[in-house]
Every structure is written in structure tokens, then in C-alpha cells.
Amino acid sequence: MRIPRLNRKQRILRNFTVIALALFLTAWMLDFPCWTQSGLLRRAERQHLIVPGTSQPLCRRDGTLYAWTGDRILNVYYERTPLGFCLTNTKQEKVGEWYSLKCDRSGRRENLYSYPVFTLVGRLEGVASAELEVTASLPEVQFVGTYLIRGEREENNCFTFSLMRKTLPEKESLLAQQENQLFRGWFSGDSTTLRLYDADGKHIEERVYEEFP
């Protein structure tokens, strides 16, 4: 049986139909990504039975949208796709915690070395400056290094802290060799102290983490 030949308008309609079907199937496989940040947050609110539209966006950083729900921080993890934002996971912090500190151990790469990058997010409108004191040690070696990091304000409710080494990798000093070993692998037995200050330099709060957050 011979298939009827399509005219120009019919071919255009067929092509649009195929494209629309392909887009629909792709969106369905991705669980229908959200087009906007607000839509992404609304979907996360429904997952945690939060009244839609009541969460306050704090900031968006490295594939995570942070929001304040009224009594805690909501972490919304997503992936960016050609069709929009695809929700991958969500997490709520403890009730009453008005900020959250995260650490990406391999946040900054320089040749063979990885340097942790910390992210502080929360209701930080009254915080003018922040600093971290990081204590790092090497397993089976009597080496302990202390690093003081000044926070860089990324947004009103976000600071980042990028750990910097004290020596150059090519130096032959003992400290340089120890740092080379330290930043080539995982830290062991570390502690972190976070300090927050207001615009007058007054100490607001200090929190000690026995290991990397």
C-alpha cells in the first residue's frame, strides 16, 4: 500500500508534532523540571508540607537553593537542564538553626592539590563579617596546621571561605612538604571554629565544629 505524499503544511505540522512529543517525553523523564526558582521552591515546599509561598529564598549556590521556612533552613538540591530546574533532593535543618555551614573538601583544585571551600548561608542580614579558624592534621604524622580564613560575602545571606595554604608547593621546607601531603588527601582529626561579627566589629556568636561540617 502506497503512503500518501504529504504537502508542505502537513509536513510542517508533522514535524511540530514530533518535536512536541519529544519535548513532552523528555520533560516526563525529568519529572517535569521547573522553569523558575520560585517554582522549584514551591515543589520543595509541597514535599515537606510547608504552606506554599511562605518560604523566603536566602541564596542559591552550587546547585543548591537555600530558603527560610519560618523556623528552619530548607535546602533544595537541583540540576539545571535545557528544560529548566530539575529537583533532585531536599533537606531541612534543625528547628531554630538560623544559619548553616557546609564544606566542599575538593572545592578548589590547583594541579595535584584540593583546597576546601566552606559556604555559610542563613539569615545573615545582621552579620557584617565572618571568619573561620580551621585546624587540620595529618594521620600518623605529628603535624597540625591552623588556618584563619576571612569570609567573602557573596550575597546578603551567604559567605564563602576558601582555604589557602601557607607555603608554595615547590618549596623544599618541611612545612611545604607537609602541606603538599595534607592537600593531596583527606584531612584527619580536624576542627573548625566559626566567628560572626556585626558592623561595629562586636562578636555576635562563636560555634565550634569538632570535624568539618
Side-chain angles (χ1 to χ4, degrees):
M1 182 178 178
R2 191 173 182 181
I3 300 176
R5 187 179 183 88
L6 300 178
N7 59 36
R8 184 171 179 273
K9 289 184 178 180
Q10 290 172 328
R11 290 197 301 270
I12 292 175
L13 179 61
R14 177 200 60 190
N15 293 340
F16 273 118
T17 302
V18 172
I19 292 172
L21 180 60
L23 288 174
F24 175 82
L25 291 176
T26 302
W28 177 72
M29 293 176 63
L30 295 173
D31 195 25
F32 296 100
C34 303
W35 291 355
T36 65
Q37 173 181 307
S38 298
L40 187 69
L41 182 56
R42 297 295 88 79
R43 183 169 295 184
E45 287 174 332
R46 288 194 294 270
Q47 284 193 2
H48 290 275
L49 303 179
I50 301 171
V51 178
T54 59
S55 299
Q56 173 191 353
L58 295 173
C59 66
R60 193 171 66 188
R61 187 84 183 159
D62 300 329
T64 306
L65 169 64
Y66 300 93
W68 178 252
T69 67
D71 63 355
R72 71 187 77 189
I73 295 174
L74 174 64
N75 303 326
V76 182
Y77 305 100
Y78 67 90
E79 292 180 353
R80 188 185 294 271
T81 71
L83 298 181
F85 301 107
C86 185
L87 180 66
T88 59
N89 197 10
T90 61
K91 175 187 174 183
Q92 289 193 97
E93 302 291 344
K94 294 180 180 178
V95 174
E97 293 285 0
W98 57 281
Y99 63 81
S100 175
L101 181 67
K102 309 291 184 182
C103 175
D104 181 1
R105 290 176 179 264
S106 57
R108 192 179 84 257
R109 292 282 301 179
E110 293 181 7
N111 299 322
L112 300 175
Y113 308 104
S114 298
Y115 303 96
V117 174
F118 297 80
T119 302
L120 176 68
V121 297
R123 304 198 64 181
L124 305 175
E125 299 89 347
V127 178
S129 62
E131 66 180 16
L132 281 180
E133 185 177 296
V134 179
T135 300
S137 61
L138 283 171
E140 302 178 0
V141 177
Q142 291 184 345
F143 168 77
V144 177
T146 301
Y147 299 86
L148 187 64
I149 317 170
R150 293 285 182 179
E152 294 288 336
R153 185 181 287 277
E154 301 292 341
E155 300 178 38
N156 288 337
N157 297 296
C158 178
F159 286 88
T160 57
F161 307 82
S162 184
L163 196 152
M164 306 292 291
R165 61 186 298 150
K166 299 178 180 179
T167 64
L168 296 175
E170 60 271 17
K171 293 294 183 179
E172 297 182 356
S173 66
L174 176 60
L175 178 58
Q177 295 175 16
Q178 291 171 330
E179 285 196 315
N180 287 345
Q181 184 178 349
L182 179 68
F183 295 115
R184 278 187 181 138
W186 296 102
F187 293 167
S188 175
D190 312 297
S191 65
T192 305
T193 302
L194 171 67
R195 301 184 182 95
L196 306 178
Y197 304 90
D198 64 14
D200 297 325
K202 182 180 178 181
H203 183 254
I204 298 175
E205 185 170 340
E206 178 174 309
R207 181 176 297 184
V208 177
Y209 300 85
E210 294 301 329
E211 55 186 22
F212 277 5

